[in-house]
Amino acid sequence: NAGVMQNPRHLVRRRGQEARLRCSPMKGHSHVYWYRQLPEEGLKFMVYLQKENIIDESGMPKERFSAEFPKEGPSILRIQQVVRGDSAAYFCASSPPAGVALFFGEGSRLTVL
Amino acid sequence: GQQVMQIPQYQHVQEGEDFTTYCNSSTTLSNIQWYKQRPGGHPVFLIQLVKSGEVKKQKRLTFQFGEAKKNSSLHITATQTTDVGTYFCVNTGGFKTIFGAGTRLFVKA
């Protein structure tokens, strides 16, 4: 049973470009979470999604950031017009409907030049 | 979910010494989870505590949930270099799963 798959693992963008990060949850998991982690810091909650629904996006900046979890395919975190402050590791986690633990992917590390 | 406060922020120990990290909340927690993140890695679920006063052990790791369900601790006996990493306590109340700032453990061989 494959774990949570995130890609790309590393992404370099110039200021003003778009970044798209993808997350395929574990098989049977319908809940997806996105977190951002700056170096030497904790994980900041961004958004919680279920299939085709955004449940809680209170941790996600209102501008430039969006997330989706379509009926088919991976969850996508999209950052438009990236700025240097967006440089961070973005972790996706999934859980089953009545799950206890969050299972994390290995993260996508975004560098904005 | 209410964010929990975790102390200490950093801890340096000599291999073989014990280590404890504490998690505190101003409000009653429905449950608490603990995760470990190795340097350069991703968080890995360790355990969940639900009951007041609950104590759980995993080999050299002992997890406790306070009687009032407002605090929790993780104790590692006789640390090893493989214990290096950041330990997070997590409040899973509500929709959000909120991570504390974590305690970063350094183990000197």
Side-chain angles (χ1 to χ4, degrees):
Chain A
N1 188 9
V4 177
M5 304 300 291
Q6 285 190 251
N7 68 82
R9 293 288 310 281
H10 299 275
L11 182 63
V12 179
R13 285 286 179 266
R14 296 190 181 280
R15 280 179 296 170
Q17 292 184 320
E18 179 179 287
R20 282 193 182 216
L21 310 178
R22 288 174 289 279
C23 170
S24 296
M26 286 181 70
K27 188 177 180 181
H29 287 193
S30 57
H31 298 210
V32 166
Y33 303 77
W34 285 93
Y35 290 84
R36 178 163 70 176
Q37 187 174 41
L38 295 172
E40 310 299 322
E41 294 190 9
L43 289 100
K44 301 291 187 187
F45 168 83
M46 298 182 72
V47 61
Y48 164 42
L49 310 105
Q50 295 178 17
K51 284 284 188 182
E52 300 184 277
N53 286 305
I54 296 175
I55 306 303
D56 186 339
E57 58 181 346
S58 59
M60 198 158 64
K62 295 282 187 278
E63 297 181 355
R64 302 188 299 109
F65 285 74
S66 63
E68 63 176 6
F69 189 16
K71 186 177 180 181
E72 301 291 337
S75 175
I76 295 176
L77 179 66
R78 182 185 179 199
I79 311 173
Q80 295 177 290
Q81 299 175 337
V82 296
V83 300
R84 287 208 174 122
D86 296 333
S87 295
Y90 292 84
F91 288 97
C92 168
S94 73
S95 71
V100 171
L102 294 184
F103 294 83
F104 281 82
E106 295 186 344
S108 292
R109 283 155 178 82
L110 172 65
T111 301
V112 179
L113 302 178
Chain B
Q2 182 74 25
Q3 184 160 5
V4 292
M5 303 305 294
Q6 199 170 346
I7 56 170
Q9 189 175 3
Y10 301 95
Q11 184 79 58
H12 292 255
V13 300
Q14 194 74 34
E15 188 175 25
E17 292 181 338
D18 292 356
F19 159 76
T20 305
T21 174
Y22 301 90
C23 204
N24 296 292
S25 171
S26 57
T27 58
T28 302
L29 302 167
S30 54
N31 59 61
I32 196 98
Q33 294 180 354
W34 286 90
Y35 290 76
K36 176 185 178 181
Q37 184 178 24
R38 293 181 184 274
H42 59 280
V44 175
F45 173 79
L46 294 177
I47 209 158
Q48 174 167 287
L49 304 172
V50 179
K51 298 177 184 176
S52 169
E54 190 170 14
V55 178
K56 288 188 176 179
K57 292 190 176 184
Q58 291 179 352
K59 297 182 180 179
R60 294 178 294 104
L61 277 60
T62 302
F63 303 84
Q64 289 189 307
F65 203 7
E67 293 290 342
K69 299 183 72 173
K70 289 186 176 182
N71 57 75
S72 181
S73 65
L74 159 59
H75 179 82
I76 302 179
T77 304
T79 55
Q80 299 176 359
T81 54
T82 53
D83 295 326
V84 164
T86 301
Y87 293 84
F88 294 99
C89 62
V90 178
N91 171 26
T92 62
F95 291 132
K96 300 178 195 179
T97 299
I98 305 295
F99 279 69
T103 294
R104 190 164 179 186
L105 174 64
F106 299 87
V107 180
K108 186 175 181 182

